[in-house]
Amino acid sequence: MKRIGLLTSGGDSPGMNAAIRAVVRAATFNGLEVFGIERGYKGLIEGDIHPLGPRDVSGIINRGGTILHTARCKEFMEPEGRALAAANLEKHGIEGLVVIGGDGSYQGAAKLHAEFGIRCIGLPGTIDNDIGGTDYTIGFDTAINTAMEAIDRIRDTANSHDRIFFIEVMGRRSGYVAMISGIAGGAEDILLPEVETSVEMLIERLRTGQKRGKKSSIIIVAEGCEYGGAMVLAKRVSDQSEYKDNRVTVIGHLQRGGSPTAMDRVLASRMGVHAVEALIAGEAGKMVGVSGQQLQLRPLSDAWEQRTRFDMELLRVAHVLSV
Ligand code: ADP
Ligand code: F6P
């Protein structure tokens, strides 16, 4: 193998640049050429492909976002789009492809491999931490720290005004960001897509806390919750209880940016090197995952077939500590 391609796809995440840097540096170290593909599968179909050398990735390990940009691409969902993509890889003599993205991007990579024999390796890049086959995804640690810092700031003003705050965090259909940032932020309650909680139950818990002397409360709401977000939930609590003076903060895309934490930089660096070494070793149709401290190669399909739920012990910890 002499030439590999590299793209970032789907929602961006802090640490993607560290992964890009690691892939380019590891490929250079092993005598391979790297081609950067702009804007994910969209750029691959359009042939927006350019060489990437070791100096092109200087000074990016600490930058959020992705220098290759990313996009969502409907055309790639169709066989015709994927055929154009494969032809562009062929035109550039690219034999292997590293795809940095979430499970949707992996489904595309798996089809490139199955339909055209393109040797793909996936790196788990998403803040949601909702990919099977790995304990952690690149960007998750940074996102939960961003959310935790926001929760700390909100707690200051909630305490000043004896208010209830509903704070909405990202995670798509996963409650992982909400669970971890909620425990780290000392939230009184955490509402998750994975756990059914009625508005009445939430109001009861607020009353119990008040009886125990709580003057203010922080409620973390995962965006994928059944209520349709923190705004809707806050209104329902206000309409259905004496808790009228509540406020809402939606952290939103702040969780997608920022300089990656050391954990994300090191995870991305390790995974990038591992991906290149896997391609050289002849691997294909796999993802790089981490289990404990160990990196491992798993079938790409594990990403959506082995989706791990977080340990519900975390929910018990959050409940106990909110007494
Ligand atoms: P993520 O990778 O973060 O889950 P998406 O689900 O938006 O992000 O997927 C990113 C891109 O991957 C899509 O825009 C599309 O081009 C490609 N993709 C996603 N799912 C599939 C699929 N089932 N088949 C082919 N391509 C897909
Ligand atoms: O998948 C990452 C993510 O940030 C989700 O947590 C969120 O729901 C989604 O992307 C937002 O997508 P967009 O950036 O297209 O609005």
Side-chain angles (χ1 to χ4, degrees):
M1 179 169 286
K2 278 290 162 216
R3 288 185 166 187
I4 63 173
L6 171 60
L7 63 84
T8 48
S9 172
D12 71 325
S13 72
M16 279 189 167
N17 279 328
I20 290 168
R21 171 179 176 274
V23 169
V24 173
R25 294 278 169 91
T28 304
F29 181 85
N30 288 286
L32 305 184
E33 288 178 273
V34 186
F35 285 77
I37 299 156
E38 291 289 334
R39 291 169 293 108
Y41 295 123
K42 191 168 175 52
L44 183 55
I45 289 175
E46 293 167 358
D48 197 350
I49 301 172
H50 53 81
L52 266 184
R55 300 290 69 79
D56 296 323
V57 293
S58 298
I60 68 168
I61 192 168
N62 59 321
R63 283 171 50 196
T66 159
I67 60 167
L68 288 176
H69 307 93
T70 181
R72 294 185 166 109
C73 177
K74 285 192 305 298
E75 297 78 5
F76 197 76
M77 307 288 275
E78 304 305 325
E80 299 75 15
R82 295 193 292 271
L84 279 174
N88 280 327
L89 290 170
E90 169 90 20
K91 195 165 97 179
H92 287 81
I94 293 171
E95 303 149 274
L97 181 65
V98 177
V99 173
I100 306 172
D103 58 304
S105 303
Y106 283 13
Q107 296 199 34
K111 288 180 180 172
L112 267 185
H113 180 232
E115 295 166 5
F116 302 96
I118 308 286
R119 291 172 47 196
C120 299
I121 298 286
L123 291 185
T126 173
I127 67 164
D128 300 345
N129 206 39
D130 61 349
I131 294 182
T134 186
D135 290 349
Y136 291 102
T137 57
I138 297 165
F140 175 64
D141 188 61
T142 305
I144 55 175
N145 278 285
T146 299
M148 179 191 72
E149 284 159 18
I151 294 166
D152 288 351
R153 291 170 188 273
I154 293 293
R155 182 174 293 286
D156 290 344
T157 181
N159 286 340
S160 304
H161 289 264
D162 293 342
R163 270 176 178 160
I164 295 170
F165 264 83
F166 294 83
I167 302 177
E168 184 178 303
V169 298
M170 281 186 162
R172 209 187 290 254
R173 291 174 296 279
S174 165
Y176 224 125
V177 172
M179 172 55 79
I180 301 297
S181 60
I183 291 176
E188 274 66 34
D189 226 318
I190 305 171
L191 300 185
L192 307 166
E194 297 87 350
V195 178
E196 206 173 304
T197 307
S198 69
V199 176
E200 294 70 20
M201 278 165 65
L202 176 60
I203 291 167
E204 259 326 291
R205 293 204 293 246
L206 287 170
R207 286 175 180 147
T208 305
Q210 195 170 24
K211 284 183 197 126
R212 289 184 178 137
K214 286 182 186 289
K215 297 269 187 281
S216 64
S217 284
I218 300 277
I219 316 287
I220 305 299
V221 184
E223 64 175 344
C225 260
E226 63 189 287
Y227 309 105
M231 287 286 186
V232 174
L233 183 61
K235 171 105 179 40
R236 286 184 57 181
V237 168
S238 175
D239 292 346
Q240 293 175 225
S241 76
E242 62 277 25
Y243 298 110
K244 312 286 182 195
D245 183 23
N246 59 48
R247 294 292 188 275
V248 177
T249 295
V250 177
I251 303 178
H253 284 71
L254 285 171
Q255 297 158 102
R256 286 265 292 273
S259 182
T261 59
M263 291 291 281
D264 272 332
R265 296 182 196 190
V266 172
L267 179 65
S269 298
R270 291 177 65 203
M271 286 184 159
V273 172
H274 203 82
V276 171
E277 292 171 349
L279 282 172
I280 292 168
E283 295 287 356
K286 301 276 177 56
M287 64 169 282
V288 180
V290 63
S291 173
Q293 282 303 318
Q294 288 304 311
L295 292 189
Q296 55 186 9
L297 286 177
R298 300 279 290 267
L300 279 170
S301 56
D302 279 8
W304 58 90
E305 289 171 2
Q306 308 285 331
R307 211 187 290 279
T308 43
R309 280 165 55 98
F310 48 72
D311 185 338
M312 295 309 268
E313 174 260 348
L314 289 167
L315 198 65
R316 191 166 54 77
V317 165
H319 181 61
V320 165
L321 297 179
S322 66
V323 69

